[in-house]
Amino acid sequence: HYNGHERTATKKSGKMFSMQFSGAASMLTRFEDLSASGCAKAIGQALKATHEVVNPKIHAEMKKHRRTGTVEGSIVDNPRITIEGDIISMPIGFDLENGGLPSIWLMYGTPKQQPDTLLYEAIFGRKTASEVAKIQRQAIKQAMEVYINGK
């Protein structure tokens, strides 16, 4: 609970503002916990939620290109989240080493074939990027609320 602000003087500027509210120490401890473990968990949940939105779009767009099923079979359906330093990542789209290389020609076209813009949009489009950003913001917000409220 916020109790207003205090105004005190400092030697350098003559003014200083501060805030006092009950539970400040507890909230700071929760933020430390969030940064230590909860943040990685929240980001992992956000990445999984992203995958659950994008992958069905990719599968839907690949149906019209199905001949042998090799390219569609290369869609990463069970991604592993990896943590390398400050980067938490998860593959999405096609596994290029395991049958997904033709997806590049499908998305970008060839001299004889028009690009499949809907397939491209399913992965890289503005609407997809906007959805992904919204999902990821929501996941981080929920994680912060859990730690702030102590639930």
Side-chain angles (χ1 to χ4, degrees):
H1 172 30
Y2 174 65
N3 295 328
H5 67 273
E6 266 181 42
R7 191 171 168 175
T8 58
T10 64
K11 290 180 182 180
K12 201 169 194 182
S13 69
K15 298 178 188 173
M16 186 169 97
F17 288 94
S18 65
M19 291 177 55
Q20 272 188 318
F21 54 95
S22 62
S26 174
M27 186 179 76
L28 290 174
T29 301
R30 288 189 195 118
F31 271 127
E32 285 176 17
D33 291 343
L34 177 61
S35 66
S37 63
C39 196
K41 182 180 176 184
I43 292 169
Q45 290 172 340
L47 291 173
K48 286 178 184 176
T50 298
H51 189 267
E52 291 170 4
V53 168
V54 175
N55 240 39
K57 292 179 181 186
I58 299 169
H59 276 288
E61 291 304 323
M62 279 305 298
K63 297 238 181 281
K64 62 187 168 207
H65 297 291
R66 185 178 193 138
R67 290 197 181 123
T68 65
T70 303
V71 178
E72 187 176 4
S74 74
I75 297 171
V76 180
D77 285 322
N78 299 306
R80 287 187 52 208
I81 294 173
T82 57
I83 302 172
E84 294 178 18
D86 292 349
I87 300 171
I88 301 172
S89 61
M90 179 186 72
I92 198 157
F94 299 91
D95 183 342
L96 300 180
E97 295 177 357
N98 291 306
L101 191 59
S103 68
I104 294 171
W105 294 290
L106 291 172
M107 286 189 284
Y108 294 97
T110 67
K112 294 183 180 182
Q113 177 181 319
Q114 290 293 315
D116 182 341
T117 55
L118 295 176
L119 179 58
Y120 178 89
E121 291 292 319
I123 301 170
F124 302 110
R126 285 184 186 189
K127 184 177 178 186
T128 299
S130 177
E131 272 184 275
V132 166
K134 183 178 177 182
I135 289 166
Q136 292 176 352
R137 274 193 307 271
Q138 185 64 29
I140 299 301
K141 180 181 173 187
Q142 285 174 342
M144 290 180 74
E145 287 173 354
V146 165
Y147 280 90
I148 288 171
N149 297 327
K151 293 181 181 176

